[in-house]
Amino acid sequence: MALRLLLGLADGVLAFLVFLTVSAVRFQEGDPTAKWSVGVEVPIAATLFSITWVVVLWSMGLYRLRARWSLRAEARDIARATVLAVALTLSTLFIFHQDDVSRVFLAILFIVQPALTLAGRALLRSWFSTLRRRGLNTTYMLIAGTGKLAQSFADSVESRPALGIRVIGHLTVPTQTRRPIDEHQVSRPILGSIDDMGAVFRKGIIDEVAVCLPPSSQSYLEPIIAMAADEGKTVRVPSDPDQEVLAFAVQEEFEGFVVRSVVHDTRRELELAIKRVLDFAGAAAALVVLSPLLIVTAVVIRLKEGPPVLFRQTRVGLHGRTFTIYKFRTMVPNAEERYEEVADKSDTRGAAFKMHHDPRVTGLGRFLRRSSIDELPQLLNVLSGDMSLVGPRPAPPREVDQYDIWHRRRLSMRPGMTGLWQVNAALDEHFDKRAELDLRYIDQWSLLLDLGILARTVPAILTRQGH
């Protein structure tokens, strides 16, 4: 998200500079045929143009970095955005009776601007291609279908290393499970049937689902899209060019296929990008302001309890990706090895472990937990992008393995240091109730909601309800 916002900022600055440059060239002193008759100063007009240009690109989905695979498709949509920007500009000039603006100036502006925007996208794609060829920024794709279309599409995707996509396996159509599948026709693992999709999502990292089904199985398309939407995954549909276009789908040609891509969470892209920027800035500021407390806490733990000062544990984050969470150590050093001693003594029912009087917690650890000071090192996780200041709490893999299908939607949002259930029902004894609050947060999310939760977190901690 931060990359999208940064790209939008770069496009805005570029548009501003292009406007000023074209103005300087066209309206240079001594040219009697050129004139600037708009009733605003050029820098103000350049600012308005740059904002309009970025808004138009955003509305056309040109900041969905994974939506388009080819530069040709991006060029086509930049051309469409240019047409829309021209229409908005001419309409504005007409409404405000600015009929004398140089048409040559406008022509140059709307040739140079999209050309430079496309050049910037080409450079960005080249950079991403280099990273992906090195095995970085990998996306994991699941193929729904095992027929010729599914095989051919999967082969084509993996033949393009610059896409950075790894096909993890296939799902069969339920009717296909009644008869054996020729293993020689399927070169990748068969992970189950379409009916098992929820379980497959639960077992590994999946970012995208490609639906490669025969016409007789098209009834599965909408349920697959709905399930993918619940977890914020992108859906690719390679199909016949004459097939009805999916709503909100980005269409492009790829290796002889017509691929329609459905990207979810598009309505909240800008706010999510701002959320990531605020997370980074907020975590950085908090680390600076709280550095004396962090240092003192680390020294006290080291002197009183001995090493290690930090507790590290694997947690499950966005779309099932695992990361290492950091906390001040509040338990004995071998707490993880002793988990089986207390596994059946949880005070929380369901797929979560929480024990109010855990014998593994030290005396100092109880104070750190009551005050939530033990959570502060997670600001490092927020800085790295594994976590957010606000979001569903990340769980260890052993708990995620127990999730029901509807619990999995918690993974569609970046996990947070605090969340809705922490300030509303932190002491609720049933995990399902907490999960319901997390899903309500995801469905109703906004920047204002985040700010409200942050504002309520400190009072919740002070009243010992926030941990």
Side-chain angles (χ1 to χ4, degrees):
M1 287 300 171
L3 180 57
R4 295 177 186 177
L5 195 63
L6 184 61
L7 186 57
L9 179 62
D11 283 338
V13 171
L14 178 63
F16 181 83
L17 295 176
V18 167
F19 193 99
L20 293 183
T21 302
V22 174
S23 298
V25 172
R26 177 58 182 155
F27 304 120
Q28 58 185 320
E29 187 177 353
D31 185 349
T33 65
K35 58 181 178 179
W36 178 261
S37 60
V38 179
V40 295
E41 297 294 328
V42 172
I44 297 177
T47 300
L48 294 175
F49 171 73
S50 64
I51 293 173
T52 301
W53 182 248
V54 171
V55 169
V56 169
L57 292 181
W58 204 290
S59 68
M60 297 292 289
L62 281 156
Y63 294 102
R64 302 176 207 161
L65 301 181
R66 279 287 187 182
R68 296 160 188 80
W69 284 343
S70 69
L71 186 61
R72 178 186 301 178
E74 196 145 27
R76 178 203 61 204
D77 287 341
I78 288 175
R80 291 176 177 173
T82 302
V83 172
L84 178 57
V86 169
L88 289 173
T89 301
L90 295 180
S91 298
T92 303
L93 293 175
F94 176 78
I95 291 171
F96 290 97
H97 305 290
Q98 302 294 333
D99 302 326
D100 296 331
V101 174
S102 169
R103 298 301 187 261
V104 174
F105 165 76
L106 293 177
I108 297 174
L109 180 65
F110 285 110
I111 291 174
V112 174
Q113 182 60 55
L116 290 179
T117 299
L118 180 59
R121 292 297 197 280
L123 289 174
L124 187 64
R125 283 177 175 274
S126 177
W127 179 54
F128 277 140
S129 296
T130 301
L131 292 179
R132 290 163 184 162
R133 286 191 177 96
R134 294 175 180 173
L136 303 175
N137 195 33
T138 300
T139 293
Y140 297 91
M141 175 181 281
L142 176 67
I143 304 286
T146 56
K148 183 177 180 181
L149 173 62
Q151 283 293 301
S152 180
F153 182 71
D155 290 341
S156 297
V157 165
E158 290 202 321
S159 70
R160 295 278 296 274
L163 292 176
I165 296 176
R166 178 184 171 190
V167 178
I168 64 168
H170 294 260
L171 297 178
T172 63
V173 179
T175 54
Q176 291 178 325
T177 59
R178 299 175 186 172
R179 60 181 183 273
I181 296 173
D182 187 350
E183 295 182 358
H184 297 290
Q185 295 179 355
V186 183
S187 56
R188 298 167 184 83
I190 295 176
L191 304 178
S193 77
I194 291 175
D195 290 339
D196 303 319
M197 181 176 289
V200 175
F201 281 175
R202 187 163 59 248
K203 291 178 181 177
I205 301 171
I206 298 172
D207 300 294
E208 301 188 359
V209 179
V211 185
C212 306
L213 300 176
S216 59
S217 301
Q218 288 301 307
S219 60
Y220 289 101
L221 179 58
E222 288 189 10
I224 289 173
I225 291 176
M227 184 174 291
D230 279 347
E231 298 206 17
K233 303 183 190 301
T234 296
V235 177
R236 312 281 187 184
V237 187
S239 56
D240 188 296
D242 296 327
Q243 184 174 325
E244 182 180 355
V245 178
L246 296 166
F248 309 112
V250 175
Q251 179 175 312
E252 62 183 311
E253 293 184 6
F254 170 76
E255 300 289 332
F257 299 95
V258 174
V259 181
R260 295 179 172 96
S261 302
V262 182
V263 184
H264 301 290
D265 269 335
T266 56
R267 293 174 297 175
R268 305 193 298 185
E269 282 184 331
L270 179 58
E271 280 192 293
L272 286 170
I274 296 173
K275 175 182 171 72
R276 176 61 192 135
V277 172
L278 294 178
D279 281 340
F280 186 89
L287 283 170
V288 172
V289 172
L290 297 174
S291 57
L293 176 60
L294 294 170
I295 293 171
V296 169
T297 302
V299 171
V300 170
I301 294 173
R302 183 66 174 79
L303 294 177
K304 185 173 178 60
E305 305 290 349
V309 170
L310 290 179
F311 171 72
R312 298 173 174 85
Q313 187 182 51
T314 298
R315 296 288 177 97
V316 180
L318 186 64
H319 291 172
R321 284 173 168 78
T322 57
F323 67 96
T324 300
I325 197 172
Y326 299 103
K327 302 173 69 173
F328 281 125
R329 182 170 65 84
T330 60
M331 294 184 175
V332 294
N334 64 339
E336 284 293 278
E337 289 78 5
R338 292 177 54 187
Y339 173 74
E340 293 301 326
E341 298 176 13
V342 296
D344 60 346
K345 298 180 175 62
S346 176
D347 296 315
T348 299
R349 289 175 292 163
F353 175 86
K354 193 166 186 68
M355 189 174 178
H356 298 305
H357 302 290
D358 194 325
R360 299 172 300 165
V361 179
T362 65
L364 176 61
R366 279 189 284 273
F367 166 75
L368 295 177
R369 289 188 169 200
R370 284 197 302 269
S371 61
S372 290
I373 293 175
D374 66 314
E375 307 281 357
L376 294 181
Q378 289 166 45
L379 291 167
L380 296 173
N381 292 116
V382 176
L383 275 182
S384 68
D386 292 322
M387 292 180 63
S388 174
L389 292 176
V390 182
R393 285 295 295 168
R398 62 174 176 250
E399 293 182 8
V400 175
D401 289 343
Q402 301 176 48
Y403 280 4
D404 291 334
I405 291 178
W406 68 275
H407 293 151
R408 291 281 304 177
R409 196 151 65 89
R410 298 180 75 248
L411 305 180
S412 67
M413 198 84 171
R414 199 182 306 273
M417 291 183 63
T418 185
L420 193 59
W421 75 260
Q422 282 90 340
V423 298
N424 277 1
L427 301 181
D428 198 301
E429 295 183 355
H430 204 300
F431 174 74
D432 283 357
K433 297 294 185 182
R434 300 179 183 181
E436 287 172 3
L437 285 172
D438 284 334
L439 298 189
R440 191 206 308 176
Y441 166 79
I442 291 171
D443 292 334
Q444 300 177 357
W445 177 82
S446 69
L447 292 173
L448 287 177
L449 179 58
D450 272 8
L451 293 175
I453 290 173
L454 287 172
R456 294 166 59 191
T457 295
V458 174
I461 293 173
L462 294 178
T463 57
R464 297 186 180 180
Q465 294 176 357
H467 197 76

